[in-house]
Amino acid sequence: MSFKAIHITSILMLTFMIVGSKKLEKHAIPTTILTKTPQSEHLFSEAKCQEPFGSCHTYDTGFTPLSVISGDFNNDTKPDLVVANSAENTISILSGEGDGAFPNQTKYEVGISPYGVAVGDFNMDTKLDLVASNKGDKSISVLLGNGDGTFHSQRKYEVGSDPSSVAVGDFNNDNRLDLVVTNEGNSSITILLGYEDGTFHNQTEYPVGDHPCFSAVSDFNNDQKLDLAIVNYNDHTVSILLGNGDGTFQNHIEYVVGINPAFVAAAEFNNDSKLDIVVANYDDVSVSILLGNGDGTFQHELKYLVGGGQLSVGIDDFNQDSDLDLAVANYGGSTVAILFGNGDGTFESPVHYYCDAYPNSIAVGDFNFDNQPDLAVANTFANDVGVLLGNGDGTFGHQTRFSVGDLPSVVTVGDFNHDSKLDLVVGNLFDTSVSILLGNGNGTFQNQTKLPVGYETTAVVVADFDNDSKDDLRVFNKGDSNVSILLGNGNGTFKNQTTYGVGYYPYSMAAGDFNNDDKLDLVVANNLDVNVGILLGNGDGTFQNQQVHPIARGAFFVAVGDFNNDNNLDLAVANDYYAWTISILLGNGNGTFQNETNYVVGNTPFGIAIDDFNNDSKLDLAVANDADNSVSVLLGNGDGTFQNQTKYSAGNGPNWVTAADYNTDGKLDLAVADYRGNSVSILLGHGNGTFQDEKTYASGNAPKCIAIGDFNNDNKLDLAVANSDESSDRTQHGLTLTGKGDIAIFMNSCP
């Protein structure tokens, strides 16, 4: 499995997560989820139907919710929710009020890193029970229900390596529920046959494809015996195993789908009385539809672009036209995408709804008893569940400023104290420190806490480098030619730094898994050494000595992405003063890189943003050119090459560029820090790779960096800007600011 890259402004940790399952009563189909690391890729378009959903309401859960499903656990005829909380080894039960609200949660301990969860009556007492797949300890946990919303303590069963999902069905026709578990670690599935007392025995393993991560249970050949569909993440396939009706299965047959499929579900999409399959493909931002022939075989896939990395699909008739529709968890885009069905197996273009950060699992139910299907969405890194009950002009409001250290040069976002409120870390160029500002969740921040690091901090990476589910810091000290490692304690404090030497006059840094060992590595742009340095990670927060890769000109800025779609991370490097080029270095997947290819951009390129600006599922580049006051946009061809630049005016001295959808129109926009203009420029995107003329907003003096986040929990993206030269005292919003550095907060005022 391959990591996405974390850039120096990215948030939270880099981990694979695979999640739960739910049952569609209407079609007797279980559904579930997977997730992976974030990079925001917004590929939106408009649907022809009226919008079926209103606003999203969120409810706190445990840390890192990875799966959500619904059921009536207390027999009050009101649907409840169960959520798998991977980072704290629990599941949460959220009791429904019947009006769409879920105010109360109860937690139960399960195994290590629960990923998937499923529901069924395992002991035949007419009370719903639960099962969770525990990826961290090769087990599943079964919790028998009492019928009043409470559950017995878990009973654990050993299964295969890295169990990621679990689904339910009667595989041997004895009227007792059995289980199927996908084992990523040994590329198999485990079948556990159920007994009348709620226990499971006689497990059998079947080989499938590489890294199976999710299963769907249905009768694909109409022989009244349950069959299985398994998505294989690394094989880019779905495996079909036809059941014999006695608890055994035939050898699997594979069908090619999209890149890194993470989810599969079955339903009848073309009204021919034959079951079809929908597959969510994470790494080519699409869903695949495989129409069934009714004999257990399937036609070639039909693909629909959704955007942002797909992790789960809910199925129902959302617009009441008697044709099944799709609700897709759009993880990278932080939206739910609705694709309306035409009744012939085809679907309309998606319409998107924002519902907190990184949604990865969807449950469908009527939560407010209005006879219309609603959605519950598990938002992984927001630590909440969003509920969407079934029925943005790019401007920003007043900024608020908060004091930090001397000459802040970079600002990055994370949740350092695990309170589900976004915090800030600021690199202070001239006082050998970083500032930590804990967020209050309303767009304001507490007074800074300073941590000592090296001299001339120019970059900060936030990620979980030691795999303890706590945000750590990697601080780039240009003046000392080293990197500081500060491991997080999870309460807003950090351990003392450990330093690693890099090249001479390093300027920027990014993180990613460059040798495909599932451990985060670092890449450093060593300006005066005229190379990039690769520090391979050991997975425990320590790193090996750097390996260098020469480039033709000194490197200012480095960004990471897979530009040729080979699942190996590549590099984009902004070159030295007056070089007028960026370098592309394609990765070999073993921590080494091919020789550079150079592309002309503007004068003195500094910052780089990577995303899909023209909705063709290929990564593009935006480059901030300091000396000619422009941004260059280079559209990618998907094979590691790029088209010639298109330039846009962008303030005075653009040093930093970042991409997001600021006016909620489903099209990526650019925000640029204008160093000499003391402003931020916003360039609204058309969705075809072109952009409107800039609009500027005054910031503090010499803005150097921009971080993006929802700082006041209003579901709108805000900006935090590091102003590196604030020389005069002033009072603003009741806060007196003194000295040579502050942070400006721009709150989004879109309706």
Side-chain angles (χ1 to χ4, degrees):
M1 303 194 329
S2 63
F3 281 103
K4 288 283 186 181
I6 294 185
H7 197 265
I8 57 179
T9 55
S10 62
I11 306 171
L12 301 170
M13 60 186 178
L14 198 63
T15 317
F16 273 96
M17 294 155 285
I18 303 178
V19 294
S21 61
K22 83 166 185 69
K23 190 170 184 178
L24 268 175
E25 295 295 339
K26 182 174 178 182
H27 307 285
I29 303 159
T31 55
T32 326
I33 288 277
L34 171 144
T35 78
K36 207 175 81 167
T37 51
Q39 185 176 9
S40 69
E41 298 169 1
H42 305 241
L43 308 178
F44 303 147
S45 57
E46 297 180 357
K48 66 180 181 182
C49 290
Q50 89 180 62
E51 296 183 355
F53 296 103
S55 59
C56 175
H57 304 276
T58 59
Y59 300 89
D60 288 343
T61 62
F63 289 133
T64 315
L66 293 185
S67 177
V68 57
I69 56 175
S70 63
D72 181 10
F73 303 125
N74 56 356
N75 288 317
D76 64 354
T77 71
K78 301 170 184 176
D80 311 309
L81 299 175
V82 56
V83 182
N85 304 310
S86 177
E88 65 179 33
N89 307 330
T90 65
I91 58 173
S92 293
I93 307 298
L94 287 78
S95 298
E97 299 289 305
D99 57 358
F102 300 85
N104 300 314
Q105 74 163 310
T106 305
K107 291 183 180 180
Y108 293 87
E109 291 186 0
V110 289
I112 298 174
S113 296
Y115 270 45
V117 62
V119 172
D121 180 8
F122 302 135
N123 57 350
M124 305 180 69
D125 63 353
T126 70
K127 303 168 184 176
L128 283 183
D129 310 310
L130 300 175
V131 57
S133 58
N134 305 310
K135 199 165 189 291
D137 61 7
K138 301 181 181 180
S139 73
I140 60 170
S141 297
V142 175
L143 293 82
L144 299 180
N146 297 314
D148 58 0
T150 65
F151 292 83
H152 293 288
S153 297
Q154 64 175 324
R155 180 167 182 172
K156 294 176 75 174
Y157 297 86
E158 185 175 350
V159 290
S161 176
D162 294 333
S164 55
S165 76
V166 58
V168 177
D170 180 9
F171 303 131
N172 58 350
N173 290 318
D174 64 354
N175 295 317
R176 300 163 185 162
L177 288 180
D178 310 311
L179 302 176
V180 54
V181 181
T182 57
N183 306 308
E184 279 196 39
N186 59 340
S187 298
S188 71
I189 60 170
T190 299
I191 305 296
L192 295 91
L193 299 181
Y195 284 67
E196 190 171 328
D197 59 358
T199 61
F200 294 86
H201 303 279
N202 300 328
Q203 64 170 289
T204 306
E205 282 196 4
Y206 293 86
V208 287
D210 190 2
H211 277 77
C213 60
F214 188 74
S215 63
V217 180
S218 283
D219 180 9
F220 298 127
N221 59 349
N222 293 315
D223 64 354
Q224 308 302 314
K225 302 169 185 176
L226 286 181
D227 310 311
L228 302 176
I230 311 292
V231 285
N232 305 305
Y233 189 84
N234 283 0
D235 275 352
H236 320 310
T237 61
V238 58
S239 295
I240 304 298
L241 293 84
L242 299 180
N244 298 315
D246 58 0
T248 65
F249 292 85
Q250 300 175 33
N251 292 336
H252 67 105
I253 299 174
E254 292 188 351
Y255 294 84
V256 174
V257 289
I259 299 174
N260 299 134
F263 171 90
V264 61
E268 185 190 331
F269 298 126
N270 59 346
N271 295 314
D272 64 352
S273 300
K274 302 170 184 176
L275 279 179
D276 311 310
I277 290 175
V278 56
V279 177
N281 305 307
Y282 183 85
D283 266 338
D284 63 3
V285 295
S286 70
V287 292
S288 296
I289 304 296
L290 289 80
L291 298 179
N293 298 316
D295 58 359
T297 65
F298 293 85
Q299 300 174 33
H300 292 303
E301 64 174 334
L302 301 172
K303 269 192 182 180
Y304 296 86
L305 291 180
V306 181
Q310 281 56 67
L311 298 174
S312 178
V313 180
I315 304 171
D316 214 307
D317 179 10
F318 298 125
N319 58 351
Q320 306 298 316
D321 65 353
S322 300
D323 297 322
L324 286 180
D325 310 311
L326 304 178
V328 183
N330 185 24
Y331 179 79
S334 293
T335 67
V336 172
I338 306 298
L339 291 80
F340 293 105
N342 297 316
D344 58 359
T346 65
F347 291 84
E348 298 292 329
S349 297
V351 61
H352 290 253
Y353 297 85
Y354 181 78
C355 195
D356 226 325
Y358 306 111
N360 60 54
S361 179
I362 289 180
V364 180
D366 182 8
F367 302 133
N368 59 349
F369 284 90
D370 63 355
N371 294 317
Q372 298 181 25
D374 309 312
L375 299 177
V377 185
N379 301 305
T380 299
F381 291 129
N383 295 337
D384 65 30
V385 169
V387 175
L388 293 90
L389 299 179
N391 249 15
D393 61 4
T395 63
F396 290 86
H398 296 296
Q399 59 174 312
T400 306
R401 294 180 179 175
F402 300 89
S403 294
V404 289
D406 193 356
L407 276 177
S409 62
V410 62
V411 58
T412 307
V413 178
D415 181 7
F416 304 127
N417 57 350
H418 278 188
D419 65 353
S420 300
K421 302 169 184 175
L422 286 182
D423 311 314
L424 299 176
V425 54
V426 181
N428 302 309
L429 195 68
F430 285 165
D431 66 1
T432 63
S433 74
V434 293
S435 297
I436 305 296
L437 292 82
L438 299 180
N440 297 316
N442 60 0
T444 66
F445 295 83
Q446 300 175 33
N447 291 336
Q448 65 172 323
T449 300
K450 282 189 174 183
L451 305 175
V453 289
Y455 183 59
E456 286 193 85
T457 296
T458 58
V460 178
V461 172
V462 177
D464 179 13
F465 292 104
D466 57 352
N467 296 312
D468 65 352
S469 300
K470 301 169 184 175
D471 281 348
D472 308 315
L473 301 179
R474 298 298 179 268
V475 181
F476 199 52
N477 306 309
K478 181 173 64 174
D480 288 341
S481 296
N482 65 25
V483 173
S484 295
I485 312 301
L486 293 87
L487 299 180
N489 297 316
N491 59 1
T493 66
F494 293 82
K495 297 180 173 63
N496 292 335
Q497 66 173 328
T498 302
T499 60
Y500 294 84
V502 291
Y504 184 43
Y505 211 64
Y507 208 91
S508 75
M509 172 177 55
D513 180 9
F514 303 126
N515 59 347
N516 293 318
D517 65 353
D518 292 347
K519 301 170 185 176
L520 275 182
D521 312 312
L522 296 176
V523 56
V524 179
N526 298 313
N527 182 253
L528 295 187
D529 275 350
V530 198
N531 64 39
V532 291
I534 306 296
L535 290 81
L536 298 179
N538 298 315
D540 58 359
T542 64
F543 292 83
Q544 301 173 33
N545 292 334
Q546 75 162 341
Q547 305 166 19
V548 299
H549 191 103
I551 57 176
R553 301 293 298 265
F556 265 132
F557 192 93
V558 60
V560 177
D562 181 6
F563 303 132
N564 58 348
N565 292 313
D566 66 351
N567 294 317
N568 299 324
L569 288 181
D570 311 313
L571 304 179
V573 182
N575 292 319
D576 206 343
Y577 284 114
Y578 310 112
W580 298 65
T581 61
I582 60 168
S583 298
I584 303 298
L585 293 81
L586 298 180
N588 297 315
N590 60 0
T592 66
F593 294 85
Q594 300 175 33
N595 291 335
E596 68 190 275
T597 302
N598 292 317
Y599 294 85
V600 173
V601 289
N603 192 341
T604 315
F606 264 79
I608 299 175
I610 299 174
D611 222 309
D612 180 10
F613 301 131
N614 61 345
N615 293 332
D616 65 351
S617 302
K618 303 168 185 175
L619 286 181
D620 310 312
L621 302 176
V623 182
N625 306 308
D626 174 84
D628 65 5
N629 303 329
S630 70
V631 169
S632 296
V633 175
L634 295 83
L635 299 180
N637 297 316
D639 58 0
T641 66
F642 292 86
Q643 300 174 34
N644 292 335
Q645 66 172 329
T646 301
K647 291 174 74 173
Y648 298 87
S649 177
N652 188 358
N655 265 237
W656 191 274
V657 59
T658 189
D661 179 10
Y662 299 121
N663 60 343
T664 65
D665 66 349
K667 302 167 184 175
L668 281 178
D669 312 311
L670 300 177
V672 184
D674 302 321
Y675 181 76
R676 292 185 297 277
N678 301 330
S679 65
V680 172
S681 294
I682 304 296
L683 291 79
L684 298 180
H686 295 125
N688 61 358
T690 65
F691 294 85
Q692 299 178 31
D693 292 338
E694 64 180 320
K695 297 179 181 178
T696 60
Y697 298 83
S699 65
N701 291 340
K704 288 282 290 183
C705 180
I706 298 174
I708 305 169
D710 179 9
F711 302 129
N712 60 346
N713 293 315
D714 65 352
N715 295 329
K716 302 170 186 175
L717 288 179
D718 311 311
L719 302 179
V721 183
N723 301 309
S724 62
D725 181 14
E726 288 293 344
S727 57
S728 60
D729 295 352
R730 69 225 177 275
T731 300
Q732 184 171 342
H733 301 287
L735 181 66
T736 299
L737 304 173
T738 304
K740 289 191 174 181
D742 65 24
I743 295 296
I745 306 297
F746 291 83
M747 307 309 296
N748 195 325
S749 62
C750 287

